[in-house]
Amino acid sequence: CVGINLRYRFHVSLLCKLVSCFGDRAGQFFSSGHTNNWAVLVCTSRFWFNYRHVANTLSVYRSVKRLGIPDSHIVLMLADDMACNHRNPKPATVFSHKNMELNVYGDDVEVDYRGYEVTVENFLRILTGRLPPSTPRSKRLLSDDRSNILIYLTGHGGNGFLKFQDSEEISNVELADAFEQMWQKRRYNELLFIIDTCQGASMYERFYSPNLMALASSQVGEDSLSHQPDLAIGVHLMDRYTFYLLEFLEDIHPASKTNMNDLFKVCPKSQCVSTPGHRTDLFLRDPGSVLITDFFGSVRKVELTMETINLTDPIDAESGELQKEMHTYADQLPVSEIIHQKPKQKDWHPPDGFILGLWTLILLVFFQTYGVKHLKHIF
Amino acid sequence: AMAEQKFRVRARALVCVFVCVVMCGCGRDDFQEELVIRPLHSGDIYTSFQFRTLWETDFTRENKVSHYRLFPKSLGQVISKFSVRELHISFTQGYWRTMQWGQPYLPSPPGAELWVWFQDSLTDVDGTWKELTNVLSGIFCASLNFIDSTNTVQPSASFKPLGIGNVTDHRFLRYATLPREIVCTENLTPWKKLLPCGSKAGLAVLLKSEKLFHSSFHSQAVHIRPVCKDDQCKTTSWELRQTLNVVFDLHNSGQGKNEWSLFKMFSRTLTEACPVASSSKIYIDITDNSQGEQFELSPATPLLSQAVVLGDRRTFSVYDLTQQITFGTMRSLNLLIRGKSSDMLRPLLHAERYVAGYGLQTGEIHTLMYNNHPYRSFPVLLLDSVPWYLRLYIHTLTVTSKGKDNKPSYIHYQPSKDRVRPHLLEMLVQLPPNSVTEVTLQFERALLKWTEYTPDPNHGFYVGSSVISSLVPSIVAMDTNNSRERPLFSSFFPSKEESSYFVRVYTEPLLVNLPTPDFSMPYNVICLTCTVVAVGYGSLYNLLTRSFQIEEPSPGLAKRIANIIRKMRGVPPL
């Protein structure tokens, strides 16, 4: 019945738009304040028994892609490979539901950071934009001051920290400072932070930058629990909070008008066993006026025009250069040439510090023992 | 963003006019697609896809190439920006079992392998190599950015260019492998997007990841090289080959029945060829099946073709997808192969490698190379690239064939430098006929710094496959005319002489355990030390600085009340 209500609302709002809104299109254009959407989805756990964290991240990836954010605007970080893991009885699939109903891995997934690349350093570098110059575009968060960013983290966490790959942690202070850097560099317009770990609410306690809204799956002192195991695969498939979040998001479509207050109600204590928390005091707008699609979907505002533009002719390959000499394929294993190959001349390098120091020491000891008067005999 | 969208809409309004302009003059690129199916004698089936785009253009000239049609733009920009002459990259999951499956049409090692020949006009090869690996990691969604100087080598005699050209100065060659690299759908997706028809038409509709990764062996590769345009070979064109080799397991995906069909292998059937392909064919290897005694092929096809591949003359049934008649009345093609193939010839060259020894300090690498030819001997070039944390003792290197010492006619060894360079060992060994040649080498394991361990160090560390390149005697005369029209699978390695053909064999990668510290120890040590300090020091401090006072026991309740009354009266307490 929730679906029917949404559809009814959609038709009413469409009628309203047709009747009244041709004039102030420019005003509507900037009412939400953002012009592009980005998503950074991170799974920080390694090993096969943490299958559910990868499934969590891929469910959010799937929803975000379905609602319109393209792959070029999604930075997906998965710390381990579950789909093609040798323990997976159905390769190239990651299921989110018992009985293998929904394959969230899909057929056209693009993972930007995988395996050992998912580290605290890389995560913070993506957020702040301080990446080495040769990093490809798909691995960068190229947001500007009109971008709405969705950040989703999942894994194992504790009071004030999140564990990355069983070897390092990120603390809530570091995260808050990274967001402050993003604010000062004008890298976001509004930011929605969702975390699904044990004691997740501790991660947003320290935020102090404006326009941040945060959701967590459990309060400090509580554990986030997993949903259900699958006997064929042998591990738990999803965490409870993200499972009900996925169920909620499956009802959202690109034109839906559901707002954040509905998102705060996802997974009450009766379903989640832990108490989900949220924080909106740093957010300037009222959460009731923020649409789900402001963060999970993508802005597609199209303006039609009848103007024409002239395109130049393509540059033709010059046909004048005729190579005179005949080319040949190289010999793949020229045995005689290899046997008579001259050894490579090693480049001469000046002696490094250690050798110089050693010789200085030897000379010093020599002159110490035998006296300086011998110097004139040598030089 | 708004301006961008406006521009896009305007551009779209004119696209139909522009396409007409394009069709007239500039279509000098050509696309061919091909699928070869070879039933193996163990009941498994080997399928090999090849997609080739040929384009006559010059990426190295001053004016940048701006108009791309069938050749993918991302790769064209990579070639021109990084002055690449040849690029070969492959992603493989699984190990090719030569003894059970024979020789592959295109060999590849487990994990990721990248080797590149740069143009001789390039000055800073190492810097360009680093940038190139980063860009390729973005294009193929793989962690190729882990390729750096600690796993890159510069072979001195192996990996000669496969395309045309005069330059063979090995300063411009770089080779690296990542044996730990995983291959999954995220690598297949961008690979499919490079094809002109994507995965929407032609042979690429069969590439569904759920079936492709449920196999014993999966390998996808991209090969870019300059080739001869015609017989005279005065002009060159750029060739891009995308290959995908899969071996489906009989018991895993075949459910034990000796019956294979396109639908069973790929969960799809073919309905049309790629519209921009000039040729789209399927070849089924029926050499041992001339009278239909081994296996049955349906639907039947009148087209037959013979090709010399891997030193042998093989016969193939051909299905031409550009002919509408191939699809029959159902408008879809589902090949059915029922039965098993016969015993195949023993491969002439294959190799094994393993680690011997015990404990976590020393070990020994053994590489065995088998020459199964009854009376001919041939030379092989062995390339070994070992990471720096296995310290090789080259003075213990022994090469023995049939129990006797076999001295290599060429050895090139570059020692490793800790945290900078790996070991590089190249040897040219003559393998005697019908023999096993064993190469042994002792090593010592290094202790890494604690930050250099991976998050899962108890899994072990990988050593990349050895590469064995060789000219193997062929049974029939090879075709040395490299520019004639030949099926794609037989024209990958150029042949210079008729009596032998070039083959490359990869050994298994090795998995070695390095001495691994217990990473929970710092936490344990801190807890223990703090406890000892707190209990020991604290007790001592208290004993030294505490002073004792005598204290009266507190009086009972009645006495306390009486004392209060007496205080109120002004009388001294009890």
Side-chain angles (χ1 to χ4, degrees):
Chain A
C1 51
V2 173
I4 296 170
N5 275 343
L6 281 174
R7 240 178 276 139
Y8 173 73
R9 237 181 283 158
F10 175 64
H11 286 304
V12 165
S13 63
L14 189 63
L15 263 169
C16 183
K17 277 205 170 57
L18 282 172
V19 162
S20 61
C21 314
F22 282 125
D24 59 337
R25 222 178 279 155
Q28 262 194 353
F29 202 84
F30 286 108
S31 65
S32 52
H34 70 283
T35 57
N36 56 79
N37 283 79
W38 287 83
V40 178
L41 312 172
V42 184
C43 161
T44 59
S45 300
R46 174 164 278 276
F47 305 122
W48 173 245
F49 50 81
N50 290 321
Y51 181 102
R52 58 189 189 279
H53 296 139
V54 173
N56 289 349
T57 318
L58 287 172
S59 330
V60 179
Y61 173 76
R62 177 205 140 77
S63 310
V64 143
K65 231 170 123 160
R66 190 178 55 84
L67 292 171
I69 304 187
D71 266 314
S72 53
H73 283 225
I74 304 177
V75 178
L76 179 61
M77 302 172 73
L78 298 180
D80 202 0
D81 170 57
M82 301 303 168
C84 287
N85 196 315
H86 296 295
R87 289 182 157 118
N88 194 347
K90 291 207 80 181
T93 58
V94 173
F95 290 106
S96 70
H97 200 279
K98 204 167 60 165
N99 302 324
M100 304 194 188
E101 280 170 22
L102 184 60
N103 173 16
V104 289
Y105 195 58
D107 219 16
D108 61 344
V109 59
E110 282 185 24
V111 183
D112 302 303
Y113 285 83
R114 55 185 205 159
Y116 299 131
E117 291 178 291
V118 179
T119 57
V120 173
E121 185 190 339
N122 281 349
F123 177 59
L124 292 176
R125 279 184 187 276
I126 292 170
L127 290 183
T128 53
R130 296 174 200 273
L131 289 158
S134 51
T135 316
R137 280 181 75 101
S138 58
K139 288 183 163 184
R140 286 178 190 260
L141 179 66
L142 296 165
S143 56
D144 52 28
D145 64 322
R146 290 255 148 260
S147 310
N148 273 13
I149 307 183
L150 165 71
I151 297 187
Y152 177 82
L153 293 172
T154 184
H156 288 288
N159 190 356
F161 68 91
L162 170 63
K163 192 168 72 158
F164 266 70
Q165 292 210 51
D166 215 17
S167 65
E168 48 183 3
E169 300 102 34
I170 185 172
S171 65
N172 47 9
V173 175
E174 277 173 9
L175 199 55
D177 286 339
F179 288 153
E180 176 65 13
Q181 270 198 53
M182 284 175 80
W183 174 252
Q184 296 205 358
K185 286 166 90 162
R186 299 284 178 264
R187 279 171 69 80
Y188 69 90
N189 174 39
E190 286 169 349
L191 201 144
L192 176 63
F193 174 77
I194 306 182
I195 184 160
D196 187 352
T197 61
C198 301
Q199 308 192 52
S202 62
M203 288 306 281
Y204 60 66
E205 271 172 3
R206 300 294 197 113
F207 288 173
Y208 56 95
S209 318
N211 269 348
L212 291 177
M213 191 186 318
L215 278 107
S217 60
S218 54
Q219 300 293 335
V220 174
E222 287 180 348
D223 285 338
S224 287
L225 300 175
S226 58
H227 187 67
Q228 51 184 290
D230 181 284
L231 296 175
I233 299 177
V235 285
H236 286 263
L237 294 185
M238 281 265 278
D239 277 333
R240 282 175 187 253
Y241 182 73
T242 313
F243 180 80
Y244 290 107
L245 179 68
L246 176 67
E247 227 177 56
F248 172 77
L249 288 173
E250 287 287 297
D251 285 332
I252 311 282
H253 55 86
S256 114
K257 293 286 172 204
T258 344
N259 58 38
M260 282 292 160
N261 283 332
D262 302 315
L263 190 63
F264 296 151
K265 295 198 205 104
V266 161
C267 208
K269 196 171 165 91
S270 54
Q271 283 174 331
C272 252
V273 184
S274 57
T275 321
H278 55 91
R279 178 175 179 178
T280 52
D281 56 316
L282 294 166
F283 205 73
L284 294 174
R285 288 196 287 156
D286 168 42
S289 70
V290 180
L291 301 176
I292 301 280
T293 51
D294 277 353
F295 288 102
F296 287 88
S298 186
V299 181
R300 295 279 172 84
K301 298 220 159 73
V302 178
E303 211 180 278
L304 296 176
T305 175
M306 288 297 149
E307 294 173 37
T308 57
I309 188 169
N310 285 327
L311 295 169
T312 56
D313 285 326
I315 305 168
D316 236 346
E318 288 138 30
S319 48
E321 320 159 20
L322 265 176
Q323 281 115 355
K324 294 298 175 195
E325 82 276 18
M326 216 179 106
H327 299 279
T328 47
Y329 285 96
D331 207 352
Q332 289 299 304
L333 195 69
V335 180
S336 49
E337 214 182 281
I338 293 171
I339 294 177
H340 297 113
Q341 204 163 321
K342 267 204 282 269
K344 237 179 9 171
Q345 292 292 352
K346 263 181 65 168
D347 298 328
W348 182 81
H349 293 289
D352 66 349
F354 177 72
I355 305 289
L356 279 173
L358 192 66
W359 277 106
T360 316
L361 186 68
I362 293 173
L363 285 170
L364 262 168
V365 170
F366 174 77
F367 287 118
Q368 199 80 341
T369 354
Y370 296 107
V372 188
K373 61 182 190 292
H374 287 276
L375 248 182
K376 64 175 191 294
H377 294 288
I378 296 167
F379 290 108
Chain B
M2 185 167 95
E4 212 185 306
Q5 276 154 3
K6 258 194 233 165
F7 175 72
R8 254 188 242 137
V9 171
R10 287 177 194 171
R12 217 183 297 146
L14 280 190
V15 116
C16 46
V17 176
F18 186 54
V19 160
C20 300
V21 168
V22 158
M23 282 306 183
C24 58
C26 329
R28 259 181 271 165
D29 45 7
D30 175 62
F31 175 68
Q32 296 172 322
E33 53 179 20
E34 171 187 292
L35 165 62
V36 183
I37 301 181
R38 188 168 99 192
L40 303 169
H41 85 280
S42 55
D44 304 332
I45 194 157
Y46 170 39
T47 57
S48 169
F49 291 82
Q50 282 208 38
F51 302 92
R52 178 169 90 156
T53 309
L54 271 178
W55 195 20
E56 193 193 323
T57 181
D58 189 5
F59 284 113
T60 54
R61 54 141 195 234
E62 289 308 309
N63 288 354
K64 290 209 192 112
V65 177
S66 59
H67 175 59
Y68 290 85
R69 193 174 148 247
L70 298 177
F71 200 93
K73 184 170 176 183
S74 48
L75 291 180
Q77 289 180 326
V78 162
I79 298 173
S80 50
K81 180 160 184 221
F82 298 109
S83 309
V84 165
R85 204 176 105 208
E86 263 188 47
L87 186 134
H88 302 269
I89 183 167
S90 73
F91 297 97
T92 311
Q93 177 206 64
Y95 175 65
W96 182 269
R97 293 169 216 285
T98 315
M99 284 307 273
Q100 286 148 307
W101 300 338
Q103 292 282 3
Y105 298 122
L106 287 137
S108 52
E113 185 202 38
L114 171 67
W115 58 281
V116 177
W117 273 93
F118 291 97
Q119 303 278 2
D120 47 353
S121 54
L122 190 63
T123 41
D124 179 19
V125 182
D126 287 316
T128 317
W129 169 251
K130 190 82 192 100
E131 281 179 33
L132 176 65
T133 51
N134 276 315
V135 166
L136 288 174
S137 87
I139 295 178
F140 291 107
C141 284
S143 18
L144 296 175
N145 46 319
F146 284 128
I147 293 179
D148 55 8
S149 65
T150 57
N151 47 22
T152 309
V153 290
Q154 202 178 311
S156 63
S158 314
F159 291 103
K160 295 259 184 256
L162 284 172
I164 59 174
N166 319 346
V167 177
T168 49
D169 186 353
H170 282 258
R171 278 189 299 134
F172 299 103
L173 169 65
R174 293 289 183 273
Y175 172 80
T177 44
L178 290 173
R180 187 83 199 266
E181 194 63 20
I182 306 153
V183 187
C184 209
T185 313
E186 64 247 24
N187 305 108
L188 186 65
T189 310
W191 188 94
K192 281 197 285 193
K193 286 185 181 159
L194 295 173
L195 296 171
C197 281
S199 51
K200 306 272 189 308
L203 289 171
V205 298
L206 297 176
L207 303 176
K208 289 291 154 201
S209 57
E210 284 185 23
K211 287 289 192 175
L212 286 180
F213 290 101
H214 199 49
S215 57
S216 306
F217 178 83
H218 171 99
S219 169
Q220 60 197 57
V222 172
H223 300 278
I224 303 175
R225 58 176 178 165
V227 293
C228 290
K229 183 170 166 265
D230 49 22
D231 278 348
Q232 280 80 34
C233 214
K234 290 251 174 28
T235 45
T236 65
S237 33
W238 284 90
E239 179 195 77
L240 164 70
R241 272 194 205 226
Q242 288 180 251
T243 64
L244 195 123
N245 293 331
V246 191
V247 174
F248 291 102
D249 189 88
L250 176 66
H251 300 285
N252 232 345
S253 22
Q255 283 106 43
K257 279 192 292 202
N258 270 326
E259 187 186 280
W260 289 104
S261 70
L262 282 184
F263 189 78
K264 199 176 193 188
M265 290 192 276
F266 304 108
S267 68
R268 290 283 184 287
T269 58
L270 290 166
T271 49
E272 56 165 346
C274 177
V276 292
S278 61
S279 118
S280 176
K281 295 200 169 96
I282 302 184
Y283 294 85
I284 321 275
D285 189 336
I286 56 165
T287 317
D288 310 306
N289 197 39
S290 38
Q291 255 68 355
E293 66 267 11
Q294 301 285 339
F295 57 85
E296 180 199 319
L297 184 61
S298 72
T301 174
L303 298 168
L304 280 179
S305 140
Q306 284 209 339
V308 178
V309 61
L310 296 173
D312 195 11
R313 183 176 300 279
R314 315 287 293 178
T315 319
F316 297 88
S317 281
V318 185
Y319 293 82
D320 191 348
L321 297 178
T322 49
Q323 311 291 330
Q324 204 49 39
I325 196 167
T326 320
F327 298 103
T329 47
M330 302 287 285
R331 303 252 213 106
S332 97
L333 176 64
N334 183 20
L335 289 171
L336 197 60
I337 300 170
R338 203 177 284 123
K340 246 165 95 147
S341 175
S342 70
D343 269 336
M344 48 144 216
L345 286 169
R346 255 190 2 159
L348 291 175
L349 172 68
H350 79 280
E352 274 171 15
R353 194 164 71 142
Y354 56 88
V355 172
Y358 59 89
L360 285 176
Q361 193 182 1
T362 53
E364 217 171 89
I365 300 181
H366 290 245
T367 312
L368 289 109
M369 297 183 281
Y370 295 82
N371 176 355
N372 293 324
H373 202 281
Y375 52 86
R376 293 273 300 271
S377 73
F378 49 84
V380 301
L381 189 56
L382 172 67
L383 171 75
D384 251 321
S385 161
V386 179
W388 63 267
Y389 40 80
L390 297 187
R391 303 212 164 99
L392 299 180
Y393 292 125
I394 292 294
H395 71 281
T396 59
L397 174 70
T398 60
V399 184
T400 44
S401 314
K402 291 183 176 172
K404 285 189 298 208
D405 215 18
N406 184 352
K407 193 160 138 54
S409 34
Y410 169 78
I411 301 187
H412 171 72
Y413 174 65
Q414 191 186 46
S416 69
K417 210 163 165 187
D418 272 8
R419 301 177 181 87
V420 171
R421 261 202 325 248
H423 298 270
L424 171 67
L425 178 64
E426 271 185 280
M427 293 194 296
L428 185 66
V429 183
Q430 187 84 1
L431 299 185
N434 211 11
S435 67
V436 181
T437 305
E438 185 168 345
V439 178
T440 58
L441 191 51
Q442 284 181 12
F443 65 87
E444 185 188 63
R445 297 168 215 234
L447 190 63
L448 298 178
K449 293 183 181 165
W450 71 285
T451 47
E452 289 173 349
Y453 286 96
T454 55
D456 53 351
N458 290 298
H459 181 89
F461 289 78
Y462 283 88
V463 177
S465 315
S466 299
V467 188
I468 296 165
S469 323
S470 163
L471 280 173
V472 176
S474 64
I475 301 168
V476 300
M478 301 296 293
D479 189 356
T480 51
N481 187 353
N482 289 308
S483 41
R484 213 162 52 94
E485 271 300 312
R486 286 195 293 182
L488 294 176
F489 59 88
S490 63
S491 61
F492 187 65
F493 288 114
S495 23
K496 283 256 166 163
E497 38 180 287
E498 291 188 345
S499 57
S500 57
Y501 64 99
F502 180 74
V503 82
R504 200 170 268 150
V505 175
Y506 292 92
T507 61
E508 302 96 322
L510 300 173
L511 183 60
V512 290
N513 269 316
L514 292 183
T516 309
D518 183 356
F519 288 102
S520 63
M521 278 318 285
Y523 170 76
N524 294 344
V525 167
I526 290 170
C527 282
L528 197 66
T529 319
C530 289
T531 311
V532 167
V533 166
V535 170
Y537 174 71
S539 321
L540 200 64
Y541 177 79
N542 277 335
L543 278 173
L544 290 174
T545 57
R546 214 182 283 170
S547 60
F548 292 94
Q549 291 170 343
I550 298 174
E551 198 184 278
E552 297 256 339
S554 62
L557 185 62
K559 263 209 183 144
R560 262 192 273 150
I561 293 173
N563 277 340
I564 290 168
I565 296 169
R566 287 173 91 102
K567 204 167 36 173
M568 282 195 316
R569 280 173 52 197
V571 174
L574 289 169

